[in-house]
Amino acid sequence: MPELTCHCGAVHIEVETAPAEVTSCNCSICRRTGTLMAYYSPRQVRFTPAPPQTDTYMWGDKSIVFHRCKVCGCHTHWSAVDPAYDRMGVNMRLADPDVLTKARVRRFDGADTWKFLDE
Ligand SMILES: [Zn+2]
């Protein structure tokens, strides 16, 4: 079970499985934060403490909440506002580098076509 922490350790995340793929997205926020997201059901992700001590950011249609550690500012994850939406993103940059070494990085065109650029 891969464990992730922000730089200061205030946000600790466990995910059920190591990702086979992570997403490098060029949308207006991802290209600025530099995250490499892996996607899970919220049921596969555990925060300690819960809920995590994060500041949040939303824009546009405000359907997704972007979280960053309140203390050190690391971008940790995004979650859906709608609790029925069974998907969230976890920033694998916070995992042990070995986890990323083993994952394929997919380039996603979130800015425009909403398709992977590498297929
Ligand atoms: Zn932190």
Side-chain angles (χ1 to χ4, degrees), residues 5-11 53 68-74 76 94:
T5 62
C6 64
H7 192 257
C8 75
V11 179
Q53 299 301 301
R68 61 190 183 277
C69 173
K70 258 187 205 288
V71 181
C72 69
C74 287
T76 54
L94 275 51

Side-chain angles (χ1 to χ4, degrees), residues 5 12 19-20 23 27 46 55 61 72 76 91 96 100 106 109 112:
T5 62
H12 182 266
T23 298
C27 82
R46 189 167 73 197
D55 287 323
D61 65 5
C72 69
T76 54
N91 182 12
D96 187 287
L100 274 184
R106 307 285 317 271
D109 187 19
D112 186 23

